[in-house]
Amino acid sequence: MAGEASAEAARKSSQELSSQELEEPAPDTAAEEPEFPVLGDDRAAAFFDLDNTVMQGAALFHFGRGLYKRRFFETRDLVRFAWQQAWFRLAGVEDPEHMQDARDSALSIVKGHRVSELMSIGEEIYDEYMAERIWPGTRALAQAHLDAGQKVWLVTAAPVEIATVIARRLGLTGALGTVAESVDGVYTGKLVGEPLHGPAKAEAVRALASAEGLDLSRCAAYSDSHNDIPMLSLVGHPYAINPDTKLRRHARDSDWRLRDYRTARKAAKVGIPAAAGVGAVAGGTAAAIALHRRRR
């Protein structure tokens, strides 16, 4: 159900490409590599993880800061968000227990509020806390796919409303994200299925690709976390961006490309990526299929 809900929300929220010009990275060995992304290849697309791949830190925490400023919750809850963000930065990994704690906090905060209200506030919060934390290098990678005529999707465990706002502001196609339940446009404080995390991301991408008529061997995926190895293994062009230790090791062993923007180092290329299969969860498959039907 997580995949189904997120894929449906993603297709529903996909936007036209913006004409915004973005800074492009300067790869070390561009002349030694075949042209990528391939101009005009409409059977290819790109899938980007959000937290610490596209944006420094966790989107959910920045969103929480904005809600606190608007008196959605009390100081003790902000301290809780701050601790979760500190853990994320220090550990450099997505710890399931801390992620669950963050989601529970967020769900309790938005319960009873209208979806439209949160979407509107999300636009303001993006400008206040998120815009300056977008990694220019990753943003340039996304723009390269857009300039090649390809669709670009965020794929994240963050709430789909937050992900949709960020995707729209960056001029991307849309977002796959965790879906919070709402009745008559009001949040109930529950999730639809499980969070879009780990293997569920891979299955949502697989199902969305099927619905969109994409060839995954020609697609690209980008992430910082070893939790996203299933998604990265699904495509023909996997990239480890600002990788944690486990993902860095796996990328080197698998000859995946690696780029690290955290210390202003130039992109390090690790071989030519190879496609690989990965097992998936049923929820994600149903997700993109339902999304495809709804869009039609």
Side-chain angles (χ1 to χ4, degrees), residues 40-45 213-216 218-219:
D41 186 358
D42 59 3
R43 294 201 64 201
L214 302 174
D215 180 348
L216 284 171
R218 288 145 71 172
C219 292

Side-chain angles (χ1 to χ4, degrees), residues 91-112:
V93 296
E94 298 172 351
D95 180 83
E97 182 178 346
H98 285 267
M99 291 181 68
Q100 182 64 50
D101 192 29
R103 283 190 294 270
D104 291 344
S105 299
L107 287 169
S108 65
I109 289 167
V110 302
K111 182 178 180 180

